[in-house]
Amino acid sequence: YLWHFLSSSAETLLDDFLLTYTVFMTTDDLCQALLRQYPFTESCIHRGKEDDSDVSCRKRKVLHLVSQWTSLYKDWLHEDEHLKQFLKTIYRNVLDDVYEYPILEKDLKEFQKILGMHRRHTVDEYSPHRKNKTFFHQFSVKENWLQHRGTMNETEEIFCRVYITEHSYVSVKAQVSTSAQEILKIVAGKIQYPEEELALVTVSFSGEKHELQPNDLAISKSLESSSRMFVYRKDLTDSLNPFSENEELQQRSVRILGINTWDLALELTNFDWSLFNAIHEQELIYFTFSRQGSAENTENLSLLLQRCNEVQLWVATEILLCSQLCKRVQLLKKFIKIAAHCKAQRNLNSFFAIVMGLNTASVSRLSQTWEKIPGKFKKLFTELESLTDPSLNHKAYRDAFKKMKSPKIPFMPLLLKDVTFIHEGNKTFLDNLVNFEKLHMIADTVRSLRHCRNNQFGNEVPSKEHHELKPYVHHLHVIDNQQALFELSHRIEPRA
């Protein structure tokens, strides 16, 4: 199979293979197969099996595939131990061969770029008398390139939930190394409560509580103990008391009404773009095929999917925590306009999330509120809803999205559905042979991410009038319990 791709002159076919190889082989399998395809000079030439041109051509094909592979995945796979050993071995092989095959010098220089090696070399340096010394010098100086991602763990960002009540939390996107004090400051600003009167507490599933100190790594502590993070109040006796649902409702003010809708949509788009742009294409394949260790390989994709769900809950939370009918009507109009702006900004992920949030059962049942919405807003919402119509395999959405220029953010759950449909509807192997047509269809679907990211979003930024806009959008406050949302819905508009 590998030689089939190596011998093909079609770059698309090679790209298909590199995108989907994990469907039927591990990284270790691929490394071993590539080493077997890389011909050793002594075994091939001295035994007369291949001439010089055949050997050098085959070597270059293998090196070209390695170059394409590392270019496609950049540092995404550099944590893999098999890949580390493979790259060391293949590089040593090229060093061994470049003196006898000067044509490989160009490939060697390309390999040095891959390895992050900046020192210049000439063919003479790879003579049999010097090559071993050169090799060990290179790796003693630059071996740490393979540790790049490992040393970045503390700076990687994840979403964490800081609960205010049993069902209500603030979503915080923060680095693993963020301190408890920094997280507490974010949450205090979000709920408009004095920071000095709050404490950040981890609560295990058994109910055991542990107050975090200001310099504690809050996220690490929470992950280690598999517990939830809560914000508790401090009283005069320094004991810890949780907020109640009623207290939260009484203290809440509707700040969103004073924010410009285009600016708010733009901040949503900027945030979504940062998440979408970080997704590696193969995350969709790992997510779909649920390979061993897939959770580690789908982190960025999971963040965007979680964000989509949280935006939907945020819309419902904002509306249902607003007890005044007139303000609730304003909020509905506001969200309809924000959805329209997200569509105009080609952010279909937040667009879908907002429309779905407005269609949540606990919101759609608010007949008194919906009746007071002006006709032009009802008409606009109907037009926006039509794009989310699932009939004919989401034809309305697909047609509209196809016409949009790049850059654009797709509705990611639907893209995942497409990959899953191809996977479940086609066998990976037919008569013990790899079904290349299936792999091509999957690769073609996954490659659509490249088209969406052909260009970067412009440098447009929200106006500076609302200094609270960015923290507001970055740290959404939501209620993640459908029963609690329904109770709020019936509280503000009781059943007739």
Side-chain angles (χ1 to χ4, degrees), residues 253-254 257 322-332 369:
S253 62
V254 186
L257 291 177
C322 183
S323 57
Q324 298 177 42
L325 178 59
C326 61
K327 286 189 176 180
R328 216 160 46 244
V329 172
Q330 292 179 53
L331 269 177
L332 272 181
T369 308

Side-chain angles (χ1 to χ4, degrees), residues 124-165:
D124 290 338
E125 289 185 87
Y126 305 115
S127 66
H129 302 292
R130 302 190 61 179
K131 59 187 178 184
N132 289 335
K133 182 179 178 181
T134 303
F135 168 73
F136 287 113
H137 171 73
Q138 290 282 348
F139 274 103
S140 65
V141 173
K142 288 294 183 181
E143 181 144 6
N144 66 343
W145 77 276
L146 286 167
Q147 311 302 325
H148 177 66
R149 285 199 68 190
T151 58
M152 293 293 286
N153 285 341
E154 289 190 355
T155 62
E156 288 179 359
E157 292 184 316
I158 64 170
F159 275 129
C160 67
R161 297 176 178 181
V162 183
Y163 283 82
I164 301 163
T165 68

Side-chain angles (χ1 to χ4, degrees), residues 216-415:
D216 284 346
L217 302 183
I219 297 175
S220 298
K221 292 278 187 183
S222 176
L223 293 174
E224 286 171 9
S225 58
S226 299
S227 56
R228 279 182 170 187
M229 272 193 290
F230 275 81
V231 164
Y232 275 32
R233 297 179 311 163
K234 293 179 178 178
D235 62 14
L236 296 177
T237 59
D238 289 331
S239 63
L240 300 171
N241 296 299
F243 282 84
S244 69
E245 306 285 351
N246 287 334
E247 276 181 312
E248 181 203 356
L249 187 61
Q250 291 167 4
Q251 291 174 7
R252 189 174 180 79
S253 62
V254 186
R255 287 182 283 172
I256 187 175
L257 291 177
I259 299 176
N260 178 277
T261 52
W262 178 265
D263 285 350
L264 204 155
L266 190 59
E267 196 61 66
L268 285 169
T269 298
N270 290 339
F271 190 88
D272 283 2
W273 177 254
S274 68
L275 298 178
F276 174 63
N277 207 29
I279 295 173
H280 193 280
E281 293 164 356
Q282 210 187 46
E283 290 191 48
L284 279 72
I285 295 172
Y286 271 98
F287 192 92
T288 303
F289 284 79
S290 299
R291 294 183 63 86
Q292 185 177 4
S294 61
E296 298 175 1
N297 296 319
T298 59
E299 292 172 349
N300 300 307
L301 176 59
S302 298
L303 286 181
L304 187 61
L305 294 174
Q306 183 178 335
R307 177 65 174 185
C308 183
N309 182 57
E310 287 182 340
V311 170
Q312 182 179 343
L313 289 169
W314 163 65
V315 171
T317 301
E318 287 286 356
I319 293 170
L320 296 173
L321 285 178
C322 183
S323 57
Q324 298 177 42
L325 178 59
C326 61
K327 286 189 176 180
R328 216 160 46 244
V329 172
Q330 292 179 53
L331 269 177
L332 272 181
K333 289 164 57 181
K334 196 101 176 173
F335 279 119
I336 291 171
K337 289 175 69 176
I338 294 169
H341 292 328
C342 283
K343 174 178 172 287
Q345 294 168 11
R346 305 185 298 282
N347 178 7
L348 279 298
N349 207 62
S350 279
F351 164 77
F352 259 82
I354 294 169
V355 172
M356 289 190 297
L358 293 172
N359 277 324
T360 302
S362 54
V363 174
S364 61
R365 68 165 293 277
L366 301 175
S367 56
Q368 296 175 37
T369 308
W370 284 100
E371 284 172 3
K372 292 187 177 295
I373 299 294
K376 68 175 185 179
F377 279 92
K378 289 181 181 177
K379 182 181 177 181
L380 175 59
F381 185 60
T382 300
E383 292 173 358
L384 298 177
E385 267 188 313
S386 67
L387 282 180
T388 66
D389 182 4
S391 62
L392 299 176
N393 193 21
H394 290 271
K395 185 178 186 304
Y397 162 77
R398 294 182 192 278
D399 289 346
F401 191 70
K402 190 180 293 184
K403 293 176 183 177
M404 292 180 181
K405 64 179 182 179
S406 299
K408 52 188 176 181
I409 305 174
F411 179 50
M412 193 55 69
L414 186 56
L415 192 59

Side-chain angles (χ1 to χ4, degrees), residues 60-225:
R60 296 200 71 189
K61 284 181 180 292
V62 173
L63 296 177
H64 176 64
L65 188 146
V66 174
S67 176
Q68 293 295 97
W69 186 24
T70 52
S71 174
L72 179 63
Y73 292 101
K74 296 184 173 63
D75 66 338
W76 197 62
L77 286 175
H78 286 180
E79 293 173 349
D80 194 296
E81 290 296 329
H82 298 300
L83 184 65
K84 292 179 185 180
Q85 294 304 317
F86 165 74
L87 289 173
K88 290 179 183 179
T89 303
I90 200 79
Y91 180 62
R92 182 165 54 185
N93 288 343
V94 181
L95 281 170
D96 288 343
D97 292 339
V98 73
Y99 183 72
E100 188 158 358
Y101 297 97
I103 196 173
L104 295 181
E105 185 173 16
K106 183 178 179 181
D107 300 280
L108 184 66
K109 288 179 179 179
E110 178 63 29
F111 224 86
Q112 288 170 352
K113 290 179 183 177
I114 294 171
L115 294 170
M117 298 176 179
H118 306 297
R119 186 182 166 196
R120 294 286 180 178
H121 295 276
T122 63
V123 175
D124 290 338
E125 289 185 87
Y126 305 115
S127 66
H129 302 292
R130 302 190 61 179
K131 59 187 178 184
N132 289 335
K133 182 179 178 181
T134 303
F135 168 73
F136 287 113
H137 171 73
Q138 290 282 348
F139 274 103
S140 65
V141 173
K142 288 294 183 181
E143 181 144 6
N144 66 343
W145 77 276
L146 286 167
Q147 311 302 325
H148 177 66
R149 285 199 68 190
T151 58
M152 293 293 286
N153 285 341
E154 289 190 355
T155 62
E156 288 179 359
E157 292 184 316
I158 64 170
F159 275 129
C160 67
R161 297 176 178 181
V162 183
Y163 283 82
I164 301 163
T165 68
E166 187 64 30
H167 303 305
S168 176
Y169 68 84
V170 170
S171 174
V172 178
K173 182 171 181 266
Q175 295 179 349
V176 175
S177 59
T178 303
S179 69
Q181 187 173 16
E182 291 173 296
I183 289 181
L184 193 60
K185 183 177 181 180
I186 291 170
V187 178
K190 188 69 182 178
I191 64 175
Q192 296 179 298
Y193 206 90
E195 181 184 345
E196 61 274 9
E197 296 181 21
L198 298 174
L200 197 61
V201 179
T202 58
V203 181
S204 67
F205 292 109
S206 62
E208 185 179 348
K209 300 172 186 175
H210 173 70
E211 182 178 355
L212 296 175
Q213 299 305 307
N215 292 326
D216 284 346
L217 302 183
I219 297 175
S220 298
K221 292 278 187 183
S222 176
L223 293 174
E224 286 171 9
S225 58

